[in-house]
Amino acid sequence: MTCFTNPVQTYAKPPDGGWGWVVICSSLTVRMLTMGVYAHAGVLIVAMQSTMVNNSVGEIVLVTSLYFGFMFFIGPIGIYLNDRYGTRPTMLIGATLSTIGLFLSSFAFNMYYLYISYGAITGTGHGFLLATSLPILSKYFDKHFASATGIACVGTGLGFFIFPPMTQFFVSKYGWRGSFIILSAINANTFACAAVMRPIIVTSQEQEKKNTDRIHYGRFKKILHGLGFQLLCTNHNFALMILGIFAGGISFIILLSLIMPYAVDIGIPELKASFLVTAVGIASLSIRLVQGWVVDRGYIRP
């Protein structure tokens, strides 16, 4: 409980280490758990196709589509809560919602139930966790911020690597209802990850924030400014980068959702089909550490 009772420490600049390494491990674990559930969408679709025969493929796919939608659209709200109330409380909200949502999904009696329990509740919880797991690194790291982010994002590759075949094993052994209960228990580890997100004060960042706050904005404009939306209008390079990420993200979600059902349809066994997403995880895992190191070395502009 010391992580809750210790006084908030103050630094002149980000310490580039210390407790920051624990924060990196926490961020890595959060991304592994959330993106692991993200990556098992194809397994879920195949499992439900064989049991919910009265529902069309479109109705089944809508479950994961709502999950992705809530997870990503809730991001700006998560960032706002993170800036307003801190990383730890926001992550605890996300951990609570996602763990409860996965557990409730095991009791689903129709698709509409899953639209709420898995799509809305679990998706919102994971959205809060994803939105808040990385920004805190900027308080702990400056010189090695890109490398710290790269290490934390290794969790994404680990999630893609581990969860699809693991979830497929759970489904074959306990059914999709049982796998939801197990995934809920695994997801509960995010409570521990939230607990170690110790807040600190960096005086240089606080001064910069005060200088920004002196500029007079209306409430709505102030929120948009705090979330960084003004960069879309003032920084064309940033706007182009966001457009590229948007296009790539749509393609990536389609890949993760439908590659396994497609592989099963053409005759590949379900367990082998799940390793297609694992292959994506291996590629992701191998590049994320390298890209952070390249940025920190100054070979490309951050």
Side-chain angles (χ1 to χ4, degrees), residues 273-300:
S274 68
F275 278 100
L276 290 170
V277 182
T278 296
V280 175
I282 293 173
S284 175
L285 189 64
S286 62
I287 198 63
R288 289 181 186 273
L289 280 173
V290 176
Q291 66 184 19
W293 179 81
V294 168
V295 171
D296 276 340
R297 297 283 293 180
Y299 294 131
I300 61 173

Side-chain angles (χ1 to χ4, degrees), residues 80-289:
Y80 174 76
L81 293 176
N82 180 71
D83 291 343
R84 184 74 182 270
Y85 302 107
T87 300
R88 184 184 290 162
T90 308
M91 285 189 67
L92 286 172
I93 294 173
T96 302
L97 289 174
S98 56
T99 302
I100 291 175
L102 286 169
F103 182 74
L104 291 177
S105 296
S106 65
F107 300 101
F109 52 86
N110 60 33
M111 299 307 299
Y112 298 104
Y113 183 104
L114 281 172
Y115 293 160
I116 297 173
S117 63
Y118 184 74
I121 299 177
T122 306
T124 299
H126 281 168
F128 283 143
L129 288 171
L130 281 178
T132 55
S133 61
L134 290 182
I136 192 173
L137 295 179
S138 65
K139 289 186 174 292
Y140 280 93
F141 293 91
D142 181 21
K143 183 178 179 181
H144 302 296
F145 174 69
S147 293
T149 304
I151 295 172
C153 287
V154 164
T156 300
L158 286 174
F160 292 163
F161 177 73
I162 296 171
F163 271 73
M166 183 179 72
T167 306
Q168 184 59 54
F169 171 77
F170 292 153
V171 169
S172 62
K173 192 78 173 177
Y174 307 106
W176 62 266
R177 296 181 185 275
S179 67
F180 268 128
I181 295 176
I182 297 171
L183 288 172
S184 175
I186 295 173
N187 189 84
N189 287 281
T190 54
F191 285 104
C193 295
V196 302
M197 291 297 191
R198 182 182 295 170
I200 63 173
I201 296 174
V202 180
T203 53
S204 59
Q205 294 177 353
E206 290 298 315
Q207 184 59 46
E208 183 179 349
K209 184 178 178 181
K210 288 180 180 178
N211 292 338
T212 303
D213 288 343
R214 289 194 186 101
I215 303 174
H216 295 290
Y217 292 107
R219 178 175 293 274
F220 182 68
K221 287 186 176 180
K222 188 174 182 179
I223 292 175
L224 292 180
H225 185 274
L227 294 176
F229 281 113
Q230 82 284 357
L231 289 173
L232 292 173
C233 300
T234 60
N235 189 319
H236 294 159
N237 289 334
F238 178 78
L240 286 173
M241 181 188 73
I242 291 298
L243 181 62
I245 292 174
F246 177 77
I250 290 176
S251 305
F252 197 50
I253 288 174
I254 294 171
L255 166 70
L256 289 180
S257 299
L258 301 181
I259 189 172
M260 184 180 166
Y262 175 71
V264 172
D265 283 344
I266 62 176
I268 298 175
E270 292 180 5
L271 184 59
K272 286 187 177 180
S274 68
F275 278 100
L276 290 170
V277 182
T278 296
V280 175
I282 293 173
S284 175
L285 189 64
S286 62
I287 198 63
R288 289 181 186 273
L289 280 173

